[in-house]
Amino acid sequence: MAEQRRDQRDGRGARESAGAVGEARRRSVRAEEAHAWGALVATARRTVSDGLVVGTSGNVSVRVGDTVLVTPSGVPYDRLAPADTVGVDLDGRQVLGTLLPTSELPMHLAVYRSTDAHAVVHTHAVHATAVSTLVPELPSVHYMSGALGGPVRVAPYATYGTEELAENMLQALADRSACLLQNHGTIAYGDSLDQAFDRTAQLEWMCRLWLTASSVPGLSPTLLTGEQVAEAGERLRGYGQRGRAAG
């Protein structure tokens, strides 16, 4: 994948190549950022173990105040350590670390500037990416579409890492917490890393469900109406135990 190859080239030797510039901008990592970085790395590793990304093809971020911690470009997640913390401000200026941020930083920052998100997960999940090449919107094959705000849209294709892709993504995310990226993958956000990851996993599962159901010769999946999806979304807002994350 071009994005993955680019990230690998960018990340190779990043500690050395970014040193001169990074040192001038770098500050000490605060306690809450250190804690958030540990959770971010765990989430990034989970995207690999759960089959949502291959290698370094996805990226994860979490917001701590006005700082966005983000996975670095081209570094395998199992090699990330506390010393590898990467952080930028909301204008994209690097304030933590010397490793280069992911090439998809424009998408992450666009989400934080436009929503109340605290975490973002981007993947190249197989079934979701396949669906992104077939339809402009994921058919409402399951009521969990309501948990993402409604039918999941597909953002038109644009080159990875560009402002054009970020803008296309924002349009697809209007009133939604996740979308597909045409011929590319998924992006989802939430109040926490766990929520952003769970929404990503749910989206991949729904895409797999639709592909499976629609592959039966001579039959078409029964789809839910907009009203049915909206009603499910309302009920899901109160789902789970009080004082605990829904799941």
Side-chain angles (χ1 to χ4, degrees), residues 5-18:
R5 290 196 297 270
R6 159 88 179 271
D7 275 355
Q8 289 171 338
R9 290 197 301 269
D10 288 348
R12 201 175 294 137
R15 286 179 179 83
E16 291 79 15
S17 63

Side-chain angles (χ1 to χ4, degrees), residues 142-197:
H142 196 273
Y143 68 79
M144 284 304 292
S145 295
L148 303 179
V152 179
R153 307 181 188 103
V154 179
Y157 180 81
T159 304
Y160 76 91
T162 62
E163 294 294 341
E164 180 184 5
L165 176 59
E167 180 56 35
N168 291 351
M169 173 208 66
L170 282 182
Q171 293 183 28
L173 279 178
D175 301 316
R176 304 287 187 270
S177 56
C179 74
L180 300 174
L181 307 170
Q182 190 178 59
N183 296 85
H184 187 154
T186 72
I187 195 159
Y189 70 87
D191 294 334
S192 65
L193 285 162
D194 283 344
Q195 187 178 63
F197 179 90

Side-chain angles (χ1 to χ4, degrees), residues 50-193:
D50 285 17
L52 298 174
V53 305
V54 175
T56 62
S57 61
N59 29 78
V60 178
S61 68
V62 62
R63 181 173 178 175
V64 182
D66 290 331
T67 300
V68 175
L69 305 180
V70 63
T71 47
S73 177
V75 180
Y77 300 142
D78 60 357
R79 299 181 191 173
L80 291 175
D84 298 318
T85 303
V86 175
V88 301
D89 64 20
L90 292 173
D91 292 321
R93 289 184 292 264
Q94 190 161 353
V95 296
L96 293 173
T98 57
L99 291 175
L100 298 176
T102 174
S103 58
E104 293 293 11
L105 186 60
M107 278 205 301
H108 289 260
L109 293 180
V111 172
Y112 291 117
R113 292 170 187 151
S114 304
T115 72
D116 58 357
H118 283 83
V120 176
V121 174
H122 165 52
T123 78
H124 292 182
V126 173
H127 299 93
T129 304
V131 170
S132 79
T133 71
L134 298 172
V135 291
E137 180 179 280
L138 173 64
S140 297
V141 71
H142 196 273
Y143 68 79
M144 284 304 292
S145 295
L148 303 179
V152 179
R153 307 181 188 103
V154 179
Y157 180 81
T159 304
Y160 76 91
T162 62
E163 294 294 341
E164 180 184 5
L165 176 59
E167 180 56 35
N168 291 351
M169 173 208 66
L170 282 182
Q171 293 183 28
L173 279 178
D175 301 316
R176 304 287 187 270
S177 56
C179 74
L180 300 174
L181 307 170
Q182 190 178 59
N183 296 85
H184 187 154
T186 72
I187 195 159
Y189 70 87
D191 294 334
S192 65
L193 285 162

